[in-house]
């Protein structure tokens, strides 16, 4: 019996190795450019605040606002897109300056920035650890 005998233990190691490789490749491909469309992410700002005219955007992904700090003109319309798998809000923490209400996963809502210049911290009322700042100026 000089030949190699493959038993169940040897096969299971081979299957386990293949599964690990598949998982690793899948993880690498899903962390790339985000796929199709114009999804916003916390690491890639979703706004060009200097452009104005509908370019003021906040994206929600991975329980974070992107960008976390956004500067807009007074009265600008800000578009918020929820790219997460759960509902979120964008709610000013003082003076009730703005509040999107609930934004379902995959949905988009808008709000009008305050007319008065200043700094307006905001949060998700459902997940209070999520925070950002809207600067009107």
């Amino acid at each position: 019996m000089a030949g190699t005998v493959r038993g169940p233990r040897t096969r299971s190691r081979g299957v386990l190795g293949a599964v690990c490789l598949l998982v690793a490749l899948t993880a690498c491909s899903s962390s790339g450019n985000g796929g199709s469309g114009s999804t916003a992410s916390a690491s890639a700002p979703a706004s060009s605040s200097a452009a104005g005219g509908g370019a003021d955007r906040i994206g929600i992904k991975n329980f974070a606002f992107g960008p976390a700090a956004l500067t807009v003109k007074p009265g600008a319309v800000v578009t918020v897109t929820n790219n997460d798998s759960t509902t979120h809000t964008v709610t000013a923490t003082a003076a009730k300056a703005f509040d999107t209400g609930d934004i379902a996963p995959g949905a988009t809502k808008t709000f009008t920035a305050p007319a008065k210049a200043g700094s307006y911290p905001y949060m998700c009322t459902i997940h209070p650890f999520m925070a950002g700042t809207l600067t009107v100026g």
Side-chain angles (χ1 to χ4, degrees):
M1 298 211 177
T4 303
V5 177
R6 295 189 138 209
R9 177 173 273 171
T10 304
R11 282 190 210 118
S12 65
R13 283 188 206 155
V15 170
L16 180 61
V19 169
C20 289
L21 179 61
L22 181 61
V23 169
L25 291 174
T26 303
C28 288
S29 67
S30 68
S31 65
N33 63 9
S36 63
S38 59
T39 59
S41 78
S43 62
S47 173
S48 172
S49 59
D56 299 314
R57 298 182 180 277
I58 297 171
I60 303 171
K61 181 126 179 118
N62 298 325
F63 290 85
F65 297 113
L70 176 65
T71 301
V72 299
K73 294 180 180 176
V77 174
V78 179
T79 302
V80 182
T81 302
N82 183 357
N83 296 304
D84 245 341
S85 60
T86 190
T87 301
H88 294 290
T89 72
V90 174
T91 307
T93 58
K96 307 229 185 238
F98 52 87
D99 185 357
T100 61
D102 290 352
I103 308 171
T108 298
K109 285 199 177 181
T110 61
F111 69 88
T112 302
K116 183 179 176 185
S119 180
Y120 297 87
Y122 62 86
M123 62 184 267
C124 172
T125 57
I126 302 167
H127 309 98
F129 60 88
M130 295 174 58
T133 303
L134 181 73
T135 301
V136 176

